[in-house]
Amino acid sequence: MAMSRHTSASYRRWKQRHHVAVFARSILMSPQQAAFARKHIFFPPDTSKIRHDKNACMLYIAESTIPHAGIGIFAGVDYAEGQLIGRDNWGDPAFATIDINWHNADPGGMSVSKSRRDYHWPLTNYGWAPNSLDIIEEEGDDAHMTGVGLGAVPNCHFSLINVVEHGVHYDLAGLSRYNSPGSGAITPFFNRTSTATKDIDAGSELFVSYGSSWFKNRADFATVPVKASYNEAERFLEKYGLLLLGNPPPTEGWRFNVFIEDMILKEEAQKDLWDIIKSFPYVSRARQALPATSGDAMRAIHRGISAVEVENSMRSLDYLKEHGKCVDNIVPGNSTIPHAGRGAFATRFIPKGSLVAPAPLLHFTDKSTLIMYNETRDWNGELVKNEKEILTTQLIRNYMFGHPNSSVVLFPYSHHVSYINHHSTEFNARLQWAKNFSFYNQDWLYKDVQFLDQQWRAGLMLEFIAIRDINEGEEILIDYGKDWQNVWELHVTQWAPVDPEKDFNNYTLWTKVSSTNAGKAIYRRAEFYKVDNAPIKTIKEQDTDPYPRNVVFKCRVDVDIGIGNYTYAPKTTPFYKRKWVLNDMKVDHKNSRKCNIVERRDVSSDDDEYYDHPFLYTVELNYVRKNQGQRTIYENQVITAVPFRAIDFVNEKYSSDMFLKNAFRHEMGLPDGLWPKAWMNLVPKADDQPFI
C-alpha cells in the first residue's frame, strides 16, 4: 500500500471536512449549527481585537426579559460572533443521572421498561440527551445529563438564539481509582463551553435552543412559540400590514417604507384591533409569536419580529449592576485540597462581605429518589430493583445541599459554583439566603415540604459571601459541616486502593466478580485506544494482547440492508455476509451495534472511498430481530470492508468511576441556622431551633 496517499493535500482536505461532519453528527447539530461549527470552531474568526476590562463583570443573572420565565443570563460586555462566552474561556460541568425512572419505580419492582411513578424530579426540565453533549450513551441503559451555568440558566427564544453550546470533556482531574479516595466522587464531565453565534451587545439576554421537541413534549408549554411559529407570525404581519394600508403595496419593499399617515386605520384603531387579535380566545404558538403591542407590531412590519425582540431583550448595565448578580467572580482550576479534583478560584479581589457567587437552586423534596438499588429477577424473569439492597446514590448528590433532619435537598445550578470545595477551618466564604432579588421566593422558606412538592420551577437562591478579603487567584472554600466532615474522614480511613494488576475491571457496582483475566486488568477509558492510523486488534490478537474489559466495539451498520421480511421463523441461525456501504453511516452512534473485529487488512487501490485510515476491517455481529408477529429471530451478520470511522471504541455500561463500589457519596450540609424549620420533616422540630 502506498502510504503517501494518506499524507496528500487532497487527503488532508478530506480529513478536515470529515472531522467537521463527525463533530456535527456526534452532538446532533442541525445543518445551520454544523455550518456555524465549521466556520467558528474548526476555522475560528479573529477575535483578537476584542478586549474586555479585567474588572468588568462579563456575565450577570437577572430577571429574564421573557415574562414569567424566571431568571435569565445577560452579557456584561460585548461578545463578537464566534467568541467563547465567559471569563478565560472556561465552561461548566455536567452531571449524569442513571436509570432514574427504574430506581424510582413503584414498590414491588418494575421491569426494565422503567415505568415511572409521579415523583418529584425537577431535573426533567434541565436535562440534555447525552449525545447532545458529545457523549455516546454509554454510562447506563437510561442516562440523562444535567447541565449547570450556561447549560441551565439561559432561556430559549427561537427568534433570539445567540449562543450555541458545545460538548463536554471527560476528565477526572487526576483522580484515579488506583490512588485516590476521591475517585468516583466528582463528575468527570467537564468544561462545556458556549459560543456567540452573532455579535452580542452588552446588556443582551443570552438565549440557547432547547429544540422544538422540548416544548412540544410538555403540556405546560403548549403555546410557547417554536421556530416555525415565527415564520407563520411574519406571514400574518405582512397580511396585517396590507389590511392597514387598504390598498395593494406600491413596491416590493413596501414594508420598509410604510407610515402611519399611509394607513386607513389610525393609531387608536390599530391598538383596538391588535388587542382583539392578541386576546382572541383560541391561543396558538403562532399568535404568541406576534409582538405584544400594536406599536411593536408596526416596528415588526418595518424590521421583522426578530429585530423588535432583540431590542426588548436588552437590559442596561446600570440595571444589571443594581438588580442582577455577577456570576464571573470565580473560574475552575485544580483544587489545592487533596482528592477534591477541581476547585473554584477568584478572578478578582473580592472584599469581605461581598458576593462571591449567586446560587439559584432546584429543590428535591425526597432525597430517597437519589437511591440506586441492586437488581434481581421477578417471577416473570424480568430485571427489577431489589429494594432490600441499596448500592449507592446518584453522583449528583455530592453537589447538593441538605440537612440530616429533612428529606429536602437543594441543587445549585449557577455558573461554576459546583467547583466550590470544603475546608472545616480555613474556609473563606459562607452561605446565606439571597437578598433583594426578584427571583427569590422568601416565603417558600416558611412553607412545608408538601408545598415544595407542588413547585416544579426553581424559586430559591443562596449566595456565597466572602467572610474576609479574598485575593485574586485564591481558592474559594466553605464549610460543608461536621456531618459531611465525619463521613469523609470515615471514607478515607476505610478506602484502600485496588491493585491495577488484579482489578480485572470488577470493582464497579454492576460488574460480576471474576478472579481470572477477561481482558487487561487495569481500567483505561475506551477513547484512549481510538488513535488515527493505529490498527484495531482482531479477536485473535486480543487472545494474547487484550483490551481492558470495559472496552467494547460498536459498529455503524444498518442491519436491515439486504434483508427482507421472514415468511417463517428459521430453524437455524440465519447467516448474512456483505460489504459495508456508505449508507451504513446513516446509522447514528446511538443505534450502532456491538460487534467483534474478525479481520484487518490494508487499504488497496480499489478502496478509494475509504481513505480515512490505512486499514479496513471485517466485523461480526449477532442481532436479535423482532419480525412480524413479534417472532424473535437471531441473526449472524458479517460485514467486510468496514472503515475505521464506522467503528466506535465504547466503554462498557456501568464501568466508569461513578459506579465504583467504594465511591464517596454525601450531600453538603447547611447549618441549622440556615435550614428552614418548616422543612424538618424527618424528626420533630425543637421549638428553640434557630432559623435564618
Side-chain angles (χ1 to χ4, degrees):
M1 183 186 68
M3 289 298 293
S4 59
R5 295 180 184 179
H6 299 281
T7 57
S8 66
S10 60
Y11 174 70
R12 289 195 299 271
R13 287 194 296 272
W14 182 91
K15 288 285 283 184
Q16 199 171 45
R17 293 194 303 272
H18 168 68
H19 285 316
V20 173
V22 168
F23 179 85
R25 284 194 304 270
S26 67
I27 59 175
L28 297 185
M29 285 183 168
S30 67
Q32 294 78 11
Q33 289 173 315
F36 177 84
R38 187 178 299 110
K39 180 178 179 183
H40 295 292
I41 300 173
F42 294 94
F43 311 100
D46 180 14
T47 59
S48 59
K49 295 181 181 179
I50 303 168
R51 293 288 183 266
H52 293 138
D53 181 354
K54 185 177 181 180
N55 293 316
C57 179
M58 300 180 73
L59 291 170
Y60 289 92
I61 60 169
E63 184 178 2
S64 175
T65 58
I66 300 177
H68 314 298
I71 60 172
I73 192 162
F74 294 79
V77 295
D78 295 339
Y79 288 96
E81 180 182 356
Q83 186 179 9
L84 288 172
I85 303 294
R87 187 167 297 280
D88 299 334
N89 300 335
W90 283 112
D92 290 292
F95 303 88
T97 50
I98 309 298
D99 301 333
I100 191 66
N101 289 332
W102 187 86
H103 289 292
N104 285 282
D106 288 320
M110 294 294 290
S111 70
V112 289
S113 62
K114 300 176 176 60
S115 300
R116 62 169 293 174
R117 65 177 171 88
D118 185 20
Y119 61 94
H120 194 271
W121 189 255
L123 295 184
T124 299
N125 290 334
Y126 291 82
W128 298 83
N131 47 15
S132 71
L133 274 69
D134 200 12
I135 299 170
I136 299 173
E137 294 177 310
E138 58 190 53
E139 292 298 333
D141 288 336
D142 185 22
H144 293 267
M145 301 298 295
T146 297
V148 295
L150 286 164
V153 182
N155 291 304
C156 176
H157 192 309
F158 283 100
S159 74
L160 295 175
I161 293 168
N162 51 15
V163 170
V164 64
E165 297 173 292
H166 309 307
V168 295
H169 301 275
Y170 191 97
D171 189 330
L172 295 172
L175 303 184
S176 166
R177 62 174 67 185
Y178 302 122
N179 64 23
S180 173
S183 57
I186 69 167
T187 178
F189 305 111
F190 170 64
N191 202 27
R192 188 188 189 198
T193 56
S194 303
T195 301
T197 60
K198 58 184 71 173
D199 289 347
I200 300 174
D201 293 332
S204 300
E205 186 168 358
L206 304 183
F207 295 100
V208 300
S209 174
Y210 296 175
S212 295
S213 61
W214 191 93
F215 294 96
K216 291 179 179 179
N217 293 334
R218 288 167 167 81
D220 292 345
F221 298 95
T223 61
V224 172
V226 296
K227 188 173 182 180
S229 309
Y230 289 94
N231 297 329
E232 294 181 51
E234 288 285 4
R235 290 192 293 269
F236 178 87
L237 274 181
E238 185 162 355
K239 293 178 181 179
Y240 176 73
L242 291 174
L243 174 67
L244 297 184
L245 283 172
N247 293 299
T251 63
E252 286 188 6
W254 68 272
R255 286 183 64 169
F256 304 100
N257 299 291
V258 63
F259 300 98
I260 290 287
E261 53 267 26
D262 300 326
M263 298 182 174
I264 59 173
L265 282 182
K266 300 310 176 185
E267 190 169 1
E268 286 302 317
Q270 287 180 33
K271 289 180 180 179
D272 293 339
L273 177 58
W274 196 253
D275 287 343
I276 293 172
I277 292 170
K278 290 294 289 182
S279 61
F280 190 69
Y282 298 103
V283 183
S284 69
R285 295 184 191 273
R287 199 190 79 185
Q288 295 298 93
L290 293 171
T293 67
S294 62
D296 283 350
M298 277 301 303
R299 290 160 58 210
I301 290 173
H302 278 272
R303 302 167 53 204
I305 293 175
S306 180
V308 173
E309 297 281 13
V310 167
E311 294 172 0
N312 292 341
S313 68
M314 300 282 292
R315 297 216 184 271
S316 70
L317 289 182
D318 288 340
Y319 174 95
L320 293 175
K321 290 174 183 176
E322 182 177 356
H323 301 287
K325 295 184 182 293
C326 181
V327 295
D328 86 330
N329 288 329
I330 53 177
V331 292
N334 290 328
S335 178
T336 61
I337 305 298
H339 309 297
R342 293 185 181 84
F345 295 82
T347 60
R348 55 176 64 89
F349 175 75
I350 304 174
K352 178 181 178 180
S354 59
L355 179 72
V356 175
L361 303 164
L362 292 173
H363 62 276
F364 295 70
T365 56
D366 184 0
K367 57 188 176 186
S368 70
T369 57
L370 300 169
I371 293 174
M372 302 177 78
Y373 299 90
N374 204 349
E375 59 192 24
T376 187
R377 296 279 179 181
D378 66 5
W379 61 271
N380 200 32
E382 297 281 4
L383 278 176
V384 297
K385 72 178 186 181
N386 182 356
E387 293 183 298
K388 297 179 180 179
E389 187 177 355
I390 295 174
L391 294 176
T392 184
T393 55
Q394 300 281 349
L395 170 62
I396 200 170
R397 177 188 176 192
N398 288 356
Y399 295 85
M400 295 178 171
F401 292 102
H403 190 284
N405 296 343
S406 176
S407 67
V408 176
V409 285
L410 306 169
F411 177 62
Y413 64 91
S414 189
H415 194 46
H416 297 333
V417 298
S418 301
Y419 297 118
I420 296 177
N421 284 320
H422 160 82
H423 199 291
S424 60
T425 58
E426 300 299 323
F427 54 94
N428 52 19
R430 62 174 176 84
L431 286 160
Q432 68 178 29
W433 291 105
K435 297 179 179 179
N436 304 319
F437 195 63
S438 58
F439 167 78
Y440 173 53
N441 296 279
Q442 187 173 9
D443 62 311
W444 287 17
L445 303 180
Y446 301 91
K447 303 288 187 180
D448 61 19
V449 175
Q450 186 176 1
F451 169 84
L452 294 179
D453 196 57
Q454 303 304 313
Q455 312 304 315
W456 283 78
R457 64 183 178 89
L460 295 166
M461 182 182 290
L462 287 166
E463 294 175 335
F464 293 86
I465 302 295
I467 62 171
R468 61 168 173 79
D469 289 348
I470 299 175
N471 294 315
E472 179 181 349
E474 190 174 350
E475 184 169 7
I476 307 300
L477 300 168
I478 63 171
D479 180 7
Y480 290 177
K482 290 182 179 180
D483 187 50
W484 187 97
Q485 179 72 27
N486 292 337
V487 175
W488 171 252
E489 289 177 353
L490 178 63
H491 170 74
V492 172
T493 59
Q494 294 179 341
W495 184 88
V498 179
D499 182 351
E501 300 303 321
K502 297 180 181 179
D503 183 8
F504 302 127
N505 303 306
N506 296 314
Y507 208 50
T508 57
L509 292 166
W510 285 279
T511 52
K512 295 180 180 179
V513 175
S514 173
S515 59
T516 59
N517 192 353
K520 278 186 178 177
I522 191 168
Y523 173 87
R524 184 170 282 146
R525 294 283 294 180
E527 44 268 40
F528 174 84
Y529 294 95
K530 189 157 188 175
V531 180
D532 281 351
N533 296 324
I536 303 174
K537 287 180 279 193
T538 65
I539 291 178
K540 186 175 182 179
E541 291 170 330
Q542 292 178 51
D543 285 341
T544 55
D545 186 18
Y547 292 103
R549 188 178 170 197
N550 64 287
V551 177
V552 295
F553 297 100
K554 295 184 76 173
C555 294
R556 298 178 70 170
V557 170
D558 186 341
V559 294
D560 295 325
I561 291 179
I563 299 177
N565 292 326
Y566 288 87
T567 56
Y568 59 90
K571 294 181 179 180
T572 59
T573 302
F575 173 78
Y576 299 96
K577 185 174 182 178
R578 66 172 176 86
K579 185 178 180 181
W580 190 90
V581 294
L582 287 176
N583 277 341
D584 283 304
M585 283 300 285
K586 293 180 180 179
V587 175
D588 60 20
H589 293 291
K590 181 179 179 180
N591 294 308
S592 57
R593 308 288 177 181
K594 276 191 175 182
C595 57
N596 292 319
I597 311 300
V598 177
E599 185 180 273
R600 179 184 65 250
R601 68 172 175 84
D602 292 345
V603 171
S604 70
S605 58
D606 297 327
D607 298 314
D608 289 347
E609 60 193 298
Y610 301 133
Y611 279 169
D612 66 326
H613 198 263
F615 303 106
L616 292 176
Y617 299 88
T618 297
V619 306
E620 179 184 40
L621 56 99
N622 296 310
Y623 177 59
V624 180
R625 182 184 299 277
K626 294 285 187 181
N627 205 33
Q628 297 140 328
Q630 292 300 300
R631 289 190 298 262
T632 300
I633 299 172
Y634 299 89
E635 296 174 351
N636 178 247
Q637 296 194 18
V638 172
I639 316 296
T640 65
V642 180
F644 182 79
R645 68 181 184 271
I647 301 174
D648 290 321
F649 288 69
V650 178
N651 295 288
E652 187 68 82
K653 292 178 180 178
Y654 307 104
S655 66
S656 69
D657 282 10
M658 74 172 70
F659 301 106
L660 290 174
K661 291 180 181 178
N662 62 349
F664 177 79
R665 294 289 184 274
H666 203 278
E667 66 270 18
M668 301 172 284
L670 280 186
D672 291 343
L674 277 182
W675 198 263
K677 291 171 65 175
W679 300 356
M680 299 282 199
N681 61 338
L682 296 186
V683 295
K685 300 181 291 292
D687 292 337
D688 59 348
Q689 191 172 31
F691 169 57
I692 306 185

